[in-house]
Amino acid sequence: MERELPGSGMTESILPERKLLYKGKSKSMYAGNDDRTCILEFRDSATAGNGAKKAELEGKGALNAEISHILYKYLEENGIETHFIKMLDDTRMLVRKVDIVNVEVIVRNIAAGGFSKKYGVPEGTPLKNTVLEFCLKSDGYGDPMMNESQITAIGLASQEQLETMKDMALRINSLLYALFDRCGITLVDFKLEFGTYDGRIILADEISPDSCRFWDKATGDKLDKDRFRRDLGDVLGAYREVLRRLRDA
Ligand code: C5P
């Protein structure tokens, strides 16, 4: 039996046969119906330390897909162009096919994680200004940090594209910070990826507890992938809590 996926014009049994374009650590990208779209699947796989630690967390894919869906819709409503088109089912979304810019953009409001480790700034220290970092998107080289002249020198992005990415990253930060604040959550830091579509830079990838640090404003509890990285337990409970609060916001 084939089940028609609401509004997608596709049937469920067709989706799994689609050509796998790319399999990342927690998401897979499949060919869409045409060369303008792809199907992004959020899987249950969790990894940390560049794949050194691995687990399957049942339901994580659906939680991250729905959280990303809510955040993409919110950003689109506020003038940020994203790759999101529509949900196909619980774990799969139809997205615009972009040429990914192989640069990860990290935005930090509070010192934590890699920043604290690298620069000896205690976790939780508020930053006097928003920090923007660029990293090469490369598991093989461990995502090393890059400066703008390095990025333009090897043609990963033009200076104009970098300016657009910086401007969008700061606008996304303001929008998300305000939204999470209403949810009783501090947006500590997060990672973005961009791609080009019709020559424009648009937001790609995901925005989820896998790619952000969320701290409960009242208790300081971590509501993100640090629960997995640091063996704090109840990873999915934290992800569910983020989704519950976003739905109520
Ligand atoms: O590890 P670090 O402190 O540099 O991470 C900053 C933010 O970027 C965190 O929210 C982390 O989850 C996210 N990140 C990511 N993917 C990476 C590197 C960092 O989602 N490859």
Side-chain angles (χ1 to χ4, degrees), residues 114-133:
F115 187 91
S116 292
K117 220 177 193 170
K118 211 174 291 167
Y119 305 116
V121 182
E123 275 210 329
T125 307
L127 299 167
K128 292 187 199 300
N129 53 265
T130 306
V131 169
L132 283 184
E133 294 172 9

Side-chain angles (χ1 to χ4, degrees), residues 228-247:
F228 175 69
R229 294 187 188 101
R230 303 180 189 189
D231 296 318
L232 299 176
D234 200 17
V235 180
L236 290 181
Y239 284 40
R240 259 184 239 114
E241 181 63 13
V242 171
L243 178 56
R244 188 188 69 75
R245 293 195 200 184
L246 279 173
R247 280 183 170 149

Side-chain angles (χ1 to χ4, degrees), residues 25 104-108 112-116 118 123 133 135 139 143 188-193 205-206 208-214 224-226 229:
K25 290 188 288 252
E104 297 183 342
V105 181
I106 292 176
V107 183
R108 300 182 191 271
F115 187 91
S116 292
K118 211 174 291 167
E123 275 210 329
E133 294 172 9
C135 298
D139 289 343
D143 300 339
V188 174
D189 57 33
F190 57 98
K191 187 257 313 182
L192 299 173
E193 293 183 25
D205 196 50
E206 69 180 309
S208 77
D210 272 8
S211 63
C212 305
R213 284 196 172 90
F214 299 130
D224 57 61
K225 196 169 135 182
D226 273 348
R229 294 187 188 101

Side-chain angles (χ1 to χ4, degrees), residues 149-160:
S149 69
Q150 291 171 318
I151 291 169
T152 56
I154 61 172
L156 292 176
S158 67
Q159 191 61 47
E160 193 188 348

